[in-house]
């Protein structure tokens, strides 16, 4: 880790703009990069330098490690911020950056590697006292009789998962013993083909959990804090749609115990920067499923409740600065929601690229919009459809719901289709407004609403 005054942002879209602003807050120069499809990105001219590094195809630009390293070299960047997605959880990328004598704005590559292997991650968590889903922290053996015995001990339904899996792929739910052998064989084959490793593990399948996650922040000197929890149960096809902080109805003592165990885990693995421990939450218990070793899309809800600039803190940690506060200083107040605004048809979810012909963003007390779009900007068909995040903060959950309804009603995006109507309907859904719905609620509601 070395001092730096220039940060290359190895990403695009709203998060590139978010990182650029955090750099400016710290007096750091920012270098934005783009593919040929993003040449008109509004954050380009606002950055200190804007470099086109390759064609539209992400493998040739945003995933092209040599091109990104070259851009860092020619621009004099001392650090590279990976954002989320793309190369953000690629241990090889972090290593390549370190080998160049540059700083990767993220954890040590060893921590990325450990957390990328779900069996190693589970083992590290159990050692730190983080509660995990029942099931062994070991790869499944080959012997079908042994596998059957392990599944019997856990109790059906179980879920078979690839150790190297990600993005909701490489996992299969098994309801009865009769299906077990075939399910293991199919998942093993998928794991070998998709993730390059046939290693599998097995755990209890929880039927009605909520998705609750804990945000951590660590410096390079062994200090770590957790900044409260978020609920991201409103998902469609494993994609989060609405997030909130705090997760409603979680007893403070239970959260404090789990938060402290996450901090302990960070210290044990020598973690640095920001990270998120994802849990399933069912019947008052937390069960760890995975750690994201990067900044997350939904970090703003925690920024609003904890009063912390998570991206600024992440950059400070990368500069080697000690954390400026302790756990006792962390207080979370009020309630925050985030709606992910996507360029897509709100009924069919088909992507809707095109030119934004008119735009009105909501504003006012407790309303924040993280976005890179502006009038005249063309949404490209090549990448993720996320174009803006509407975030609100209010003294309590009911007031935050009212504030989000008003913000969504005020917002207007012309020229393309967006999921704004879906968000407006979600914030009128009585079950969601009551709070505490499980990870299946949104899909069920989509299937059954009139
Ligand atoms: P990925 O790395 O692919 O995102 P995760 O381990 O985070 O994989 O799991 C993705 C999703 O699969 C979870 O958000 C949850 O919906 C479901 N899932 C994973 N493990 C379990 C489990 N033990 N019980 C119930 N659902 C699970």
């Amino acid at each position: 880790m070395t001092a730096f005054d220039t940060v290359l942002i190895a990403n695009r879209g709203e998060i590139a703009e978010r990182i650029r602003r955090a750099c400016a807050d710290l007096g750091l120069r920012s270098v934005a990069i783009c593919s040929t499809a993003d040449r008109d990105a509004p954050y380009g001219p606002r950055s200190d330098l804007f470099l086109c590094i390759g064609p539209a195809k992400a493998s040739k630009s945003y995933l092209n490690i040599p091109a990104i390293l070259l851009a860092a070299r020619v621009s004099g960047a001392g650090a590279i911020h990976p954002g989320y997605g793309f190369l953000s959880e690629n241990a090889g990328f972090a290593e390549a950056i370190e080998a160049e004598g540059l700083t990767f704005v993220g954890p040590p590559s060893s921590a990325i590697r450990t957390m990328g292997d779900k069996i190693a991650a589970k083992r590290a968590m159990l050692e730190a006292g983080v509660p995990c889903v029942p099931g062994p922290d070991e790869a499944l053996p080959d012997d079908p009789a042994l596998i059957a015995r392990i599944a019997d001990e856990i109790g059906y339904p179980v879920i078979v998962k690839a150790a190297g899996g990600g993005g909701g792929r490489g996992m299969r739910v098994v309801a009865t013993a009769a299906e077990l052998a075939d399910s293991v064989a199919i998942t093993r084959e998928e794991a070998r083909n998709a993730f390059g490793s046939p290693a599998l593990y097995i755990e209890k399948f929880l039927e009605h959990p909520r998705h609750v996650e804990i945000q951590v922040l660590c410096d390079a000197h062994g200090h770590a804090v957790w900044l409260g929890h978020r609920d991201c149960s409103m998902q469609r096809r494993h994609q989060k749609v609405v997030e909130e902080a705090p997760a409603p109805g979680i007893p403070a003592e239970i959260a404090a115990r789990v938060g402290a165990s996450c901090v302990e885990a960070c210290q044990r693995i020598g973690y640095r920067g920001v990270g998120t421990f994802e849990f399933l939450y069912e019947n008052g218990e937390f069960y760890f499923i995975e750690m994201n070793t990067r900044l997350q899309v939904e970090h703003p809800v925690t920024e609003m409740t904890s009063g912390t600039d998570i991206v600024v803190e992440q950059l400070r940690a990368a500069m080697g600065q000690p954390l400026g506060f302790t756990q006792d200083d962390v207080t979370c107040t009020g309630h925050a929601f985030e709606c992910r605004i996507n360029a897509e048809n709100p009924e069919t979810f088909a992507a809707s690229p095109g030119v934004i012909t008119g735009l009105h963003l909501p504003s006012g007390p407790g309303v924040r919009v993280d976005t890179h779009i502006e009038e005249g900007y063309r949404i490209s068909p090549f990448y993720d459809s996320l174009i803006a995040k509407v975030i609100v903060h209010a003294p309590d959950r009911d007031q935050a719901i009212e504030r989000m309804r008003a913000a969504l009603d005020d917002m207007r995006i012309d020229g393309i289709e967006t999921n704004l109507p879906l968000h407006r309907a979600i914030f009128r859904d009585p079950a969601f407004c009551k709070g505490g719905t499980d990870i299946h609620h949104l899909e069920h509601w989509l299937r059954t609403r009139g």
Side-chain angles (χ1 to χ4, degrees):
M1 206 185 320
T2 43
F4 55 84
D5 59 14
T6 303
V7 178
L8 182 135
I9 303 163
N11 216 296
R12 63 175 303 283
E14 69 87 19
I15 200 63
E17 175 67 349
R18 172 73 187 90
I19 298 165
R20 186 194 67 78
R21 228 180 275 138
C23 290
D25 268 2
L26 287 169
L28 298 168
R29 293 174 73 243
S30 52
V31 179
I33 58 166
C34 69
S35 70
T36 49
D38 281 335
R39 274 205 174 111
D40 297 331
Y43 47 84
R46 290 197 283 270
S47 306
D48 294 288
L49 204 60
F50 188 34
L51 299 172
C52 184
I53 63 157
K57 207 163 177 242
S59 61
K60 298 259 165 65
S61 49
Y62 300 107
L63 293 170
N64 183 343
I65 296 178
I68 294 170
L69 292 177
L70 180 62
R73 218 174 298 138
V74 300
S75 63
I80 299 183
H81 194 309
Y84 52 64
F86 295 123
L87 295 167
S88 60
E89 291 184 291
N90 183 317
F93 182 51
E95 272 158 14
I97 291 170
E98 284 156 15
E100 289 273 317
L102 307 177
T103 299
F104 174 69
V105 182
S109 52
S110 57
I112 303 178
R113 233 180 256 292
T114 303
M115 294 304 149
D117 174 345
K118 292 182 172 190
I119 298 173
K122 193 166 180 178
R123 194 170 303 139
M125 292 306 122
L126 285 169
E127 282 167 7
V130 177
C132 293
V133 184
D137 58 342
E138 281 173 5
L140 274 185
D142 288 328
D143 180 356
L146 277 179
I147 298 176
R149 197 175 318 149
I150 295 168
D152 279 342
E153 267 169 35
I154 297 170
Y156 290 89
V158 295
I159 182 166
V160 180
K161 298 166 92 169
R169 294 180 310 133
M171 55 181 88
R172 188 160 271 98
V173 181
V174 185
T176 63
E179 303 160 31
L180 184 65
D182 282 353
S183 295
V184 168
I186 298 169
T187 314
R188 210 185 274 290
E189 214 33 53
E190 277 175 5
R192 199 192 311 270
N193 294 332
F195 311 115
S197 157
L200 302 180
Y201 67 111
I202 189 168
E203 61 187 24
K204 180 84 187 157
F205 178 70
L206 305 173
E207 296 188 66
H208 293 286
R210 287 164 59 189
H211 176 117
V212 178
E213 56 187 36
I214 289 192
Q215 174 77 55
V216 293
L217 173 60
C218 312
D219 66 17
H221 310 281
H223 307 118
V225 293
W226 65 285
L227 298 174
H229 44 73
R230 303 187 275 259
D231 193 317
C232 313
S233 301
M234 292 295 277
Q235 303 183 3
R236 184 182 160 269
R237 299 200 173 158
H238 296 304
Q239 296 297 312
K240 297 164 185 168
V241 178
V242 177
E243 300 100 342
E244 61 182 297
I250 308 247
E253 334 63 87
I254 297 180
R257 205 177 331 121
V258 176
S261 69
C262 294
V263 165
E264 161 91 28
C266 288
Q267 287 165 333
R268 275 169 176 260
I269 61 171
Y271 199 77
R272 183 185 66 228
V274 305
T276 300
F277 291 79
E278 294 194 332
F279 293 90
L280 296 177
Y281 179 81
E282 194 173 74
N283 300 326
E285 305 265 4
F286 278 83
Y287 301 96
F288 171 81
I289 44 169
E290 68 166 343
M291 182 180 192
N292 290 147
T293 55
R294 55 168 165 83
L295 184 67
Q296 281 188 295
V297 176
E298 60 270 28
H299 74 275
V301 289
T302 301
E303 295 189 316
M304 304 304 271
T305 52
S306 68
T308 314
D309 187 320
I310 290 174
V311 188
V312 162
E313 294 299 335
Q314 183 185 27
L315 286 162
R316 282 201 180 123
M319 286 190 265
Q321 295 182 8
L323 257 181
F325 56 92
T326 66
Q327 192 67 53
D328 289 343
D329 301 321
V330 177
T331 40
C332 293
T333 53
H335 203 94
F337 283 102
E338 172 181 280
C339 289
R340 296 190 187 194
I341 310 300
N342 296 334
E344 66 190 16
N345 179 291
E347 304 283 331
T348 63
F349 301 99
S352 175
V355 176
I356 295 176
T357 55
L359 180 68
H360 177 76
L361 299 179
S363 58
V367 179
R368 160 178 169 185
V369 182
D370 280 16
T371 186
H372 60 295
I373 64 169
E374 57 187 35
E375 211 171 293
Y377 177 67
R378 178 183 291 277
I379 307 293
S380 141
F382 293 102
Y383 313 106
D384 193 89
S385 61
L386 179 70
I387 53 168
K389 304 186 308 205
V390 180
I391 304 123
V392 300
H393 184 224
D396 62 33
R397 192 171 187 273
D398 286 343
Q399 291 178 70
I401 289 174
E402 288 297 344
R403 191 157 275 174
M404 183 60 92
R405 284 178 183 158
L408 294 170
D409 285 346
D410 287 351
M411 189 163 184
R412 206 192 73 235
I413 302 176
D414 301 329
I416 56 164
E417 291 182 304
T418 74
N419 63 351
L420 266 170
L422 173 68
H423 283 295
R424 291 183 187 124
I426 288 175
F427 276 80
R428 300 270 168 205
D429 165 33
F432 170 74
C433 291
K434 185 159 163 271
T437 45
D438 71 20
I439 57 170
H440 307 295
H441 175 74
L442 178 59
E443 290 195 358
H444 180 256
W445 177 82
L446 286 168
R447 276 196 307 272
T448 54
R449 78 189 164 132

